[in-house]
Amino acid sequence: MTSAPLAARLGRVAGPLFFPVTAYGPDGSVDLDAFRAHVRTGVDAGAAAVFACCGTGEFHALTPEEFRLVVAAAVEETAGEVPVVAGAGYGTALAIQYARLAEEAGADGLLAMPPYLVVADQAGLLGHYAALAAATGLETIVYQRDNAVFTPESVVALAGTPGVIGLKDGCGDLDLMQRIVSAVRTALPGRDFLYFNGLPTAELTGLAYRGIGVTLYSSAVFAFAPDIALAFYRALDSGDDDLAGALLDHFYRPLVELRAKGRGYAVSLVKAAVRLGGLDVGEVRTPLTEPSAAHIEELAGIIARGRALLEKYGQERRG
């Protein structure tokens, strides 16, 4: 854990947020050495923060002890260079258990994922996240998606909840997000509440989210092609529309279309791409399944095209 508040550190990041995969060995057990190598590669490449054991990291598939070990490995490997945020989910009692394990492991904060299975009303959701935020000293980001979607009024209440520092949006409803941002700004002037674009391939909607003031985003691509992810981030940030547009047209859109071809591909494709890059992080755990051989071949082609674009635009600017 670092001494600076997580909200302050995330509020001034200059790069995409890194969601590492969880590595497994040939016998299916957690491979902490491979995970550390994966984290180190991301941090050295310029990750702004490490979000361990979240969706891409197969939080759903980890036992509490595995979770604690993986979060601790991320904390030790980053050594305070960037903040480490750990996932927490399920019902309130289990979410609190995971939150306390994350705190013991030295995490800087929590990404609070939707409650398991049940569809709760707004009051129930607010009670759940308030209890989770109060259970530890860790700052908490609430993940809006699936069965945890909030009204603007509820987000105002979340923003006023001690320990809750931000909202990660995984819905993609820009009308709702604009109303949320406006409601919090109006009800809590001066409140530095953080917003994150948390869609599976957030770069595809990066321009749209920036239009409502949301610049922080999670990057699944950073886990397997940090060079492409950083180039896109810098192009978006600097107004380099030519490079950003080329990557959107020939890398990100094809990647999203490939992801739509299989269930669970938001995780298993990322893990396959990490393996394509030379680091054996194992396969996904059931109930997820691996991409087909044809889809992995298609994935390799998409990555190659992305890197070819970086080379092309780099040569043009050098020449």
Side-chain angles (χ1 to χ4, degrees):
M1 177 182 281
T2 53
S3 58
L6 177 65
R9 298 189 77 188
L10 290 178
R12 58 176 185 264
V13 301
L17 307 174
F18 175 30
F19 284 67
V21 302
T22 297
Y24 305 124
D27 63 353
S29 64
V30 170
D31 185 339
L32 293 178
D33 289 338
F35 176 75
R36 286 175 181 274
H38 183 42
V39 169
R40 174 45 50 192
T41 297
V43 172
D44 288 347
V50 173
F51 282 67
C53 302
C54 296
T56 307
E58 297 180 80
F59 170 79
H60 70 278
L62 299 173
T63 67
E65 178 59 14
E66 288 173 330
F67 171 87
R68 185 187 66 79
L69 289 171
V70 173
V71 173
V75 171
E76 291 165 7
E77 194 60 42
T78 58
E81 294 176 60
V82 297
V84 173
V85 179
Y90 302 122
T92 306
L94 269 178
I96 287 172
Q97 180 182 345
Y98 278 95
R100 289 174 174 161
L101 288 170
E103 187 172 43
E104 291 171 12
D108 295 285
L110 299 172
L111 178 63
M113 291 177 283
Y116 173 69
L117 193 61
V118 296
V119 178
D121 61 19
Q122 296 290 293
L125 290 171
L126 290 173
H128 170 77
Y129 292 110
L132 179 57
T136 72
L138 299 179
E139 293 168 279
T140 300
I141 300 160
V142 175
Y143 195 178
Q144 168 170 265
R145 59 175 292 175
D146 300 326
N147 58 330
V149 178
F150 302 94
T151 64
E153 295 75 17
S154 291
V155 180
V156 169
L158 281 174
T161 300
V164 177
I165 64 167
L167 180 76
K168 179 183 178 184
D169 179 52
C171 295
D173 184 338
L174 289 173
D175 175 86
L176 174 60
M177 279 302 296
Q178 179 63 85
R179 289 185 290 114
I180 284 171
V181 171
S182 176
V184 173
R185 185 169 59 226
T186 302
L188 301 171
R191 172 73 165 99
D192 292 325
F193 197 62
L194 301 176
Y195 301 97
F196 305 77
N197 174 357
L199 292 175
T201 305
E203 287 91 343
L204 200 66
T205 53
L207 283 167
Y209 273 84
R210 280 179 175 253
I212 58 172
V214 178
T215 58
L216 292 165
Y217 65 86
S218 55
S219 175
V221 169
F222 190 91
F224 61 86
D227 51 342
I228 298 174
L230 280 169
F232 180 82
Y233 179 91
R234 290 165 180 159
L236 200 63
D237 203 45
S238 66
D240 185 348
D241 295 338
D242 290 341
L243 177 56
L247 286 171
L248 285 171
D249 293 346
H250 303 293
F251 174 77
Y252 285 105
R253 180 173 58 82
L255 181 64
V256 168
E257 290 170 348
L258 175 59
R259 189 190 69 217
K261 293 180 180 179
R263 289 188 178 273
Y265 272 19
V267 178
S268 60
L269 270 182
V270 174
K271 208 159 196 182
V274 175
R275 295 196 303 270
L276 285 172
L279 180 62
D280 187 359
V281 290
E283 299 185 348
V284 290
R285 283 180 171 174
T286 54
L288 297 181
T289 56
E290 287 296 302
S292 69
H295 287 165
I296 291 177
E297 183 178 355
E298 187 176 346
L299 174 63
I302 291 169
I303 296 169
R305 287 200 300 276
R307 294 203 163 112
L309 283 170
L310 299 191
E311 181 62 24
K312 173 188 173 184
Y313 278 82
Q315 286 180 350
E316 288 177 356
R317 281 149 195 184
R318 288 192 298 270

